[in-house]
Amino acid sequence: MSTEMTTHDGKPFNREMLESLVRRRCFYLPSFEPYGGVKGLYDYGAPLCGIQTNVVNEWRKHFVKREKMFELDCSVLTPYDVLKTSGHVDRFIDWMCKDPKTGELLRADHLVEDVLEARLNGDKEARGEKVETQEEPAKKKKKAKAMNVKLDDELKKEYEEILAKIDGYNGEELGLLITKHRIKNGDNEVLPPVEYNLMFSTTLGASGPAFLRPETAQAQFLNFASLLEQNQNEMPFASASVGKSYRNEISPRSGLLRVREFLMGEIEMYVDPDGGKKHPRFEEIKDVELAMLDRHTQTAGKTDVRKIAIGKAVADGIVDNETLGYFLVRIQQFMAKIGVDQSKLRFRQHMTNEMAHYAADCWDAELLTSYGWIECVGCADRSAYDLTVHMKKTGAPLLVRETRKQPLHIEEWQATLDRKKAGPKFKKDGKAIEAAVDALTQEMREKLSLDLEREGKITLEVPEISAGSVELEKELIKIEKATRIENTREYIPNVIEPSFGFGRILY
Amino acid sequence: MSTEMTTHDGKPFNREMLESLVRRRCFYLPSFEPYGGVKGLYDYGAPLCGIQTNVVNEWRKHFVKREKMFELDCSVLTPYDVLKTSGHVDRFIDWMCKDPKTGELLRADHLVEDVLEARLNGDKEARGEKVETQEEPAKKKKKAKAMNVKLDDELKKEYEEILAKIDGYNGEELGLLITKHRIKNGDNEVLPPVEYNLMFSTTLGASGPAFLRPETAQAQFLNFASLLEQNQNEMPFASASVGKSYRNEISPRSGLLRVREFLMGEIEMYVDPDGGKKHPRFEEIKDVELAMLDRHTQTAGKTDVRKIAIGKAVADGIVDNETLGYFLVRIQQFMAKIGVDQSKLRFRQHMTNEMAHYAADCWDAELLTSYGWIECVGCADRSAYDLTVHMKKTGAPLLVRETRKQPLHIEEWQATLDRKKAGPKFKKDGKAIEAAVDALTQEMREKLSLDLEREGKITLEVPEISAGSVELEKELIKIEKATRIENTREYIPNVIEPSFGFGRILY
């Protein structure tokens, strides 16, 4: 426990006292206590329910109403196919190692982290250096112990590098690290890391397999076409959802921080990727200062927070774009409204290897708690990832079609098959040949136009027909440079997503 | 479609028009539409979200705040053991028949109902009687068709009796009815009814099997001891919860009425079963009139609704007790507040065979919709069922201990073994013998006291010891009438539960 924490009136913070108090006042209770309780599940009692209702109402006022967002209340039950496409089936996972002697399941990254940190501390002790009391993040309650053994300088450096990259390893890499550095659970060898998906799976009546959603976002994305229509085809706009999401932690710890069921508020702001993802109201907030800890500072191994006006942060490229910056400020304003001590709030950018599979950039609003800095709001640029994969999978038009103010004149190589002549000549192969012509790249067309001019014919690969290729004389095909006028522009919007964990904010 | 329905301004109601309108305005949308949608899952769009938020806030104000209830926000994920004990694993089921030719799964009770109703209508046609256009409940969209065949008078009566009791049959009985009356799905024979549990099952990490809750009530009950303590051990009081519950309908139909995921508001009012379950505020509302359809009227095959003041209804025994009556009135007042047309609201008592397994009495607030009368709020007297089974299973003190104002003087037969003498004499059998003495009923004690007086000894069956019985002389045992003073009263509270389906109210 960090003893630097103080309460609102400056008294030192005592976690045991607080936990005993919230228990007595029924702020929260372990769920199903008469049955021994279930790890990672809590019931909110009356005081916390009241606060939660107020915070959610304030959130609706601050974001949904003020920014004229479309609120949605979507299904928690989500079919397998949706989450397969979104990448959650394959990538929303933890790598777990089993201790065959105790039967314990341990998160592989936490195990490596704990053991190496303990060894580094042992090394410091052996060197007679002072061991810093680290911020103790929620996930590392059970500390590994190590003898005070001095490490080889090179090994020490290797350990430090591993720890810096600990969030970026996959299962195989973690397995290699465990073998190479003889990492054990106490004295026990552990089995190689195995993938555990973090979603709760179930079955929808006769309709097939499903999961409890890990986030509210996916169902919002799938309503994009209806929402765009409702918004008169105008961009940008946002949808928002408040609801429970689920995360099947294998062995949850740490009170209300790592729970299996949690209330989220998620906003999906759909923006045009062209033109720098500007925000119409950015001007209003550009002078607001935020306490920021960017990626570069962290990569350099530092945690210095800088106060920067958001206008400057976007101009300097620290924050990628206006929309992301706008929401960081709005998040700070929301936190102030609900009474968060602004000196205990910072915005930390994710490291490149730390981001979720769908994210292009991500900033967390973190609050300083007795567990250290804890992420309470994430603000990610999900790019066009989700809409693209769902559109590709289902063919649904999750895109924007807008009339260009200035029609676009595109000069390009056009290749046209003379159907009247080609049809009778190639009969059933005609379609495949036409498709092959249409599929030609601009470069190929340019090259083939020269062939055609020089030799009066071209040879075209068409794997779909029995001959494998076909000769086309210049009577059959024309390849020439021409100007095409495009009146409509199609694009898949990018999504900026501020995502609130209400449970963590309350905590 | 019933053509008698009118809109607020008296125009005839047209369901197709309404459904097209709500679709266009994004009131609600089929969930995951790009993936073909999922039956029984809907997303609420912005207009319905807004209304839902207002209705829930109004509900909190009307019930939770006004009546000083303890609001809880409990886990949706519920361990297997909890729902096994509550009876849901065994009894929250539908009986389904499979049509082996089409692969369809049909609810057995609906199948019997549809076919027999069709035959009765066919009979009426054959007799030249007018076939009434029935209210068309949600569950019976697909009507069975039958030839216009005149039925034997006795058979007709049998059919009518079956239909009157249709909600009360178990699977075996439904199977017998299907065989006896050659009930088919169109022309296809169906397989015998099979039990389908209606809960979504999943697995909690390493903690074992679980379900998505079918109601919010169970988790509230399990917090009873904490709540009672928080209420300074005072009775009566209520807890309340707003949250999603789940019902894994096998083949859901009917728009927003039969959904798999729904928002509920449930109140659990804990009352002392002694003294008629009075309510401290009943006096305030006793003259309010409700439109009531009681059990007796329905048993007589009628649907006449009577306007009765709740005070009279309770006095006459139509409504079982004041607390139940109080909530029926509060429900009516809530419906008025959120703008429900009072002429389309009635309170219908459940038939005895229609009630859930835990209910002692139940009234539904029903709204007249284009689907007929639809249950929107249930108000059940769950007696002490749930608290009793959970206490029995877990040993948790889900009961009230109160100091009696007047200590209770109980005159009773006391049987006391002289331990000092019995111990050395019976050695290891001593405990079993003492337990057998303690377990004697009052009647047995009275009888044995006469034996003891007459013969100077008694013979006591003790199956646990090798001899099977033991003789006790009057030096060893005393049996006499004495007065015991009881200062504490223990009882398991009964629960009155008003349960709101917000989805149905919105609809």
Side-chain angles (χ1 to χ4, degrees), chain A residues 54-55 57-63 66 330-342 345:
Chain A
N54 291 341
V55 168
N57 282 341
E58 195 53 58
W59 188 87
R60 285 203 166 100
K61 220 155 67 185
H62 186 81
F63 289 105
R66 168 85 201 286
R330 294 289 291 154
I331 289 165
Q332 173 161 288
Q333 290 170 342
F334 173 70
M335 293 302 212
K337 257 194 197 168
I338 61 172
V340 167
D341 181 347
Q342 297 287 301
L345 172 67

Side-chain angles (χ1 to χ4, degrees), chain B residues 363-421:
Chain B
W363 288 80
D364 284 344
E366 297 186 328
L367 293 176
L368 184 60
T369 74
S370 61
Y371 287 112
W373 288 97
I374 294 293
E375 172 207 345
C376 293
V377 187
C379 195
D381 182 340
R382 299 179 72 133
S383 69
Y385 180 85
D386 305 273
L387 293 176
T388 306
V389 293
H390 288 305
M391 186 164 84
K392 213 169 140 191
K393 174 76 184 172
T394 66
L398 304 178
L399 47 69
V400 179
R401 283 194 191 93
E402 59 177 28
T403 309
R404 292 181 184 280
K405 280 173 200 139
Q406 298 287 340
L408 200 64
H409 294 258
I410 302 167
E411 212 173 314
E412 61 181 12
W413 289 95
Q414 293 184 348
T416 327
L417 201 66
D418 187 326
R419 280 192 182 174
K420 270 191 197 152
K421 292 178 189 160

Side-chain angles (χ1 to χ4, degrees), chain A residues 240-469:
Chain A
S241 253
V242 177
K244 282 195 171 171
S245 292
Y246 294 82
R247 188 185 170 99
N248 199 359
E249 299 276 348
I250 308 304
S251 347
R253 326 176 191 163
S254 287
L256 293 188
L257 284 178
R258 276 276 174 206
V259 292
R260 286 167 159 167
E261 182 173 325
F262 45 93
L263 191 69
M264 296 180 94
E266 285 187 315
I267 293 163
E268 314 297 332
M269 174 100 191
Y270 307 95
V271 299
D272 187 339
D274 281 7
K277 306 181 189 177
K278 294 206 179 305
H279 193 284
R281 283 179 157 177
F282 188 73
E283 192 61 24
E284 299 170 21
I285 51 89
K286 72 179 193 325
D287 296 326
V288 177
E289 288 193 337
L290 304 180
M292 306 187 105
L293 172 56
D294 65 25
R295 186 179 293 153
H296 299 296
T297 310
Q298 295 171 72
T299 311
K302 302 217 170 98
T303 56
D304 303 330
V305 169
R306 285 187 295 163
K307 281 250 175 200
I308 314 177
I310 194 67
K312 183 168 161 48
V314 171
D316 292 355
I318 298 170
V319 170
D320 182 70
N321 60 70
E322 284 190 2
T323 303
L324 200 53
Y326 178 77
F327 278 113
L328 295 184
V329 169
R330 294 289 291 154
I331 289 165
Q332 173 161 288
Q333 290 170 342
F334 173 70
M335 293 302 212
K337 257 194 197 168
I338 61 172
V340 167
D341 181 347
Q342 297 287 301
S343 72
K344 290 177 181 164
L345 172 67
R346 75 177 185 191
F347 291 87
R348 188 180 70 79
Q349 189 174 26
H350 275 206
M351 316 277 280
T352 314
N353 57 9
E354 180 189 357
M355 286 189 289
H357 62 270
Y358 47 72
D361 191 8
C362 187
W363 288 80
D364 284 345
E366 297 185 329
L367 293 177
L368 183 60
T369 74
S370 61
Y371 287 112
W373 288 97
I374 294 293
E375 172 207 346
C376 293
V377 187
C379 196
D381 182 340
R382 299 179 72 133
S383 69
Y385 180 86
D386 305 273
L387 293 176
T388 306
V389 293
H390 288 304
M391 186 164 84
K392 213 169 139 190
K393 174 77 184 172
T394 65
L398 304 178
L399 47 70
V400 179
R401 283 193 191 94
E402 60 177 28
T403 309
R404 292 181 184 279
K405 280 174 200 138
Q406 298 287 341
L408 200 64
H409 294 258
I410 302 166
E411 213 173 312
E412 61 181 12
W413 289 95
Q414 293 184 347
T416 327
L417 201 65
D418 187 327
R419 280 191 183 175
K420 270 191 198 153
K421 293 179 189 157
K425 180 165 184 191
F426 299 117
K427 302 213 169 69
K428 69 176 172 49
D429 289 343
K431 267 202 170 167
I433 294 168
E434 195 176 344
V437 169
D438 288 346
L440 288 170
T441 62
Q442 286 294 313
E443 290 71 24
M444 275 301 286
R445 288 173 192 208
E446 185 167 3
K447 179 185 162 300
L448 289 175
S449 77
L450 298 176
D451 290 358
L452 196 61
E453 204 171 312
R454 202 167 48 232
E455 301 170 22
K457 64 178 183 185
I458 58 168
T459 306
L460 192 67
E461 306 286 320
V462 189
E464 290 80 10
I465 66 174
S466 51
S469 70

Side-chain angles (χ1 to χ4, degrees), chain B residues 371-477:
Chain B
Y371 287 112
W373 288 97
I374 294 293
E375 172 207 345
C376 293
V377 187
C379 195
D381 182 340
R382 299 179 72 133
S383 69
Y385 180 85
D386 305 273
L387 293 176
T388 306
V389 293
H390 288 305
M391 186 164 84
K392 213 169 140 191
K393 174 76 184 172
T394 66
L398 304 178
L399 47 69
V400 179
R401 283 194 191 93
E402 59 177 28
T403 309
R404 292 181 184 280
K405 280 173 200 139
Q406 298 287 340
L408 200 64
H409 294 258
I410 302 167
E411 212 173 314
E412 61 181 12
W413 289 95
Q414 293 184 348
T416 327
L417 201 66
D418 187 326
R419 280 192 182 174
K420 270 191 197 152
K421 292 178 189 160
K425 180 165 183 190
F426 299 118
K427 302 211 170 70
K428 68 176 171 51
D429 289 343
K431 267 203 169 165
I433 293 167
E434 195 177 344
V437 170
D438 288 346
L440 288 169
T441 62
Q442 286 293 314
E443 290 72 23
M444 276 302 286
R445 289 174 191 208
E446 184 167 4
K447 180 185 162 299
L448 289 174
S449 78
L450 298 175
D451 291 357
L452 196 62
E453 203 171 313
R454 202 167 48 232
E455 301 170 25
K457 64 178 183 185
I458 58 168
T459 306
L460 192 67
E461 306 286 320
V462 189
E464 290 80 10
I465 65 174
S466 50
S469 70
V470 69
E471 283 202 346
L472 297 170
E473 289 87 26
K474 64 178 172 191
E475 288 74 38
L476 284 171
I477 190 163

Side-chain angles (χ1 to χ4, degrees), chain B residues 32-82:
Chain B
F32 316 111
E33 209 174 13
Y35 286 80
V38 178
K39 276 188 192 169
L41 294 182
Y42 293 89
D43 296 345
Y44 284 7
L48 212 46
C49 265
I51 299 172
Q52 176 173 273
T53 301
N54 291 341
V55 168
V56 170
N57 282 341
E58 196 51 58
W59 189 86
R60 284 204 167 99
K61 220 154 68 187
H62 186 81
F63 290 105
V64 180
K65 284 193 192 148
R66 168 86 201 286
E67 316 266 357
K68 297 197 178 58
M69 297 169 174
F70 291 108
E71 189 175 347
L72 297 170
D73 183 9
C74 301
S75 282
V76 172
L77 291 162
T78 307
Y80 177 91
D81 284 350
V82 172

Side-chain angles (χ1 to χ4, degrees), chain A residues 454-507:
Chain A
R454 202 167 48 232
E455 301 170 22
K457 64 178 183 185
I458 58 168
T459 306
L460 192 67
E461 306 286 320
V462 189
E464 290 80 10
I465 66 174
S466 51
S469 70
V470 69
E471 283 202 346
L472 296 170
E473 289 87 26
K474 64 178 170 192
E475 288 73 38
L476 283 172
I477 191 164
K478 253 202 304 198
I479 305 182
E480 55 190 9
K481 204 148 196 179
T483 300
R484 182 167 57 84
I485 296 172
E486 209 179 76
N487 290 303
T488 310
R489 179 179 160 234
E490 281 190 358
Y491 67 91
I492 302 180
N494 280 21
V495 172
I496 311 289
E497 177 196 72
S499 169
F500 296 73
F502 288 116
R504 292 191 165 191
I505 295 176
L506 295 183
Y507 192 76

Side-chain angles (χ1 to χ4, degrees), chain A residues 25-26 29 31-32 34-35 38 41-46 49 52-53 57 60 70-79 81-82 85 200-207 212 219 222-223 226 230 244 246 248-250 260-261 390 393-394 396, chain B residues 25-26 29 31-32 34-35 38 41-46 49 52-53 57 60 70-79 81-82 85 200-207 212 219 222-223 226 230 244 246 248-250 260-261 390 393-394 396:
Chain A
R25 294 280 168 84
C26 292
L29 306 149
S31 299
F32 315 110
Y35 286 80
V38 178
L41 294 182
Y42 293 89
D43 296 345
Y44 284 7
C49 265
Q52 176 173 274
T53 301
N57 282 341
R60 285 203 166 100
F70 292 108
E71 189 175 347
L72 296 171
D73 183 9
C74 301
S75 282
V76 172
L77 291 161
T78 306
D81 284 350
V82 172
T85 305
F200 287 98
S201 66
T202 187
T203 304
L204 274 164
S207 329
L212 303 191
L222 293 176
N223 282 314
S226 302
Q230 207 187 344
K244 282 195 171 171
Y246 294 82
N248 199 359
E249 299 276 348
I250 308 304
R260 286 167 159 167
E261 182 173 325
H390 288 304
K393 174 77 184 172
T394 65
Chain B
R25 294 280 168 85
C26 291
L29 306 149
S31 298
F32 316 111
Y35 286 80
V38 178
L41 294 182
Y42 293 89
D43 296 345
Y44 284 7
C49 265
Q52 176 173 273
T53 301
N57 282 341
R60 284 204 167 99
F70 291 108
E71 189 175 347
L72 297 170
D73 183 9
C74 301
S75 282
V76 172
L77 291 162
T78 307
D81 284 350
V82 172
T85 306
F200 286 99
S201 66
T202 187
T203 304
L204 274 164
S207 329
L212 303 191
L222 293 176
N223 281 315
S226 303
Q230 206 187 345
K244 282 194 172 172
Y246 293 82
N248 199 358
E249 300 275 349
I250 308 304
R260 285 167 159 167
E261 182 173 326
H390 288 305
K393 174 76 184 172
T394 66

